[in-house]
Amino acid sequence: MAMHTAALFSIATGSSDPIYRQLIEQVRRLIAAGVLKPGDVLPSVRDVALALAVNPMTVSKAYNMLETEGLLSRARGVGMLVAEGNKPQGRENLLRPALERAAAEARQLELDPDTVLQLFAKILGETK
């Protein structure tokens, strides 16, 4: 049975990340968190495109790239599903791109690592 689209994906229209990239990252996170498990059927390209009001080619591009990575597989008559034997990235690896961007920005601002780490620790504590 396919997952419910509205609850599964969301897009940030003001984001600098392209929509297909946002979808890819969301699928990676859902697999890493165990929300999507091997054999789970993803919503159809058409359903996702309609729910998010995006071009179906955008969704198709994201699904095809995830298939190329080996995270999804195509099943005739069923659609796209989470690949069996899938070894999802560790959750910490999903955070790496955001931290790399933050580190680059900290270097541009010429902040010392201790200051940045203290700020990050403070921010982590605020979210609890």
Side-chain angles (χ1 to χ4, degrees), residues 8 17 19 21 27 29 40 43 54 58 70-71 82 87-88 93-94 105 113 115 117 123 125-126 128:
L8 198 60
D17 285 338
I19 293 169
R21 180 68 50 205
V27 171
R29 289 175 191 279
D40 283 351
V54 299
T58 301
L71 291 178
V82 178
K87 297 228 179 352
N93 287 338
L94 294 170
E105 198 164 326
T115 301
L117 291 172
I123 291 168
E126 290 172 359
K128 288 186 177 179

Side-chain angles (χ1 to χ4, degrees), residues 25-41:
E25 287 304 316
Q26 287 177 47
V27 171
R28 286 179 183 153
R29 289 175 191 279
L30 291 166
I31 291 171
V35 174
L36 289 175
K37 296 173 178 47
D40 283 351
V41 178

Side-chain angles (χ1 to χ4, degrees), residues 4-115:
H4 182 61
T5 307
L8 198 60
F9 300 122
S10 65
I11 56 167
T13 53
S15 172
S16 61
D17 285 338
I19 293 169
Y20 79 91
R21 180 68 50 205
Q22 291 180 47
L23 292 172
I24 288 170
E25 287 304 316
Q26 287 177 47
V27 171
R28 286 179 183 153
R29 289 175 191 279
L30 291 166
I31 291 171
V35 174
L36 289 175
K37 296 173 178 47
D40 283 351
V41 178
L42 270 71
S44 72
V45 166
R46 182 174 173 268
D47 287 348
V48 174
L50 285 172
L52 300 177
V54 299
N55 188 317
M57 292 303 293
T58 301
V59 180
S60 182
K61 180 177 184 176
Y63 278 10
N64 287 336
M65 291 178 83
L66 287 160
E67 183 180 18
T68 300
E69 283 182 32
L71 291 178
L72 300 182
S73 62
R74 193 176 310 267
R76 175 168 268 149
V78 177
M80 295 299 275
L81 40 98
V82 178
E84 294 293 334
N86 185 16
K87 297 228 179 352
Q89 298 178 348
R91 290 181 189 190
E92 61 277 357
N93 287 338
L94 294 170
L95 187 58
R96 187 175 188 88
L99 291 177
E100 285 172 348
R101 288 190 299 273
E105 198 164 326
R107 283 190 292 274
Q108 287 176 343
L109 295 170
E110 298 179 358
L111 295 171
D112 70 279
D114 289 337
T115 301

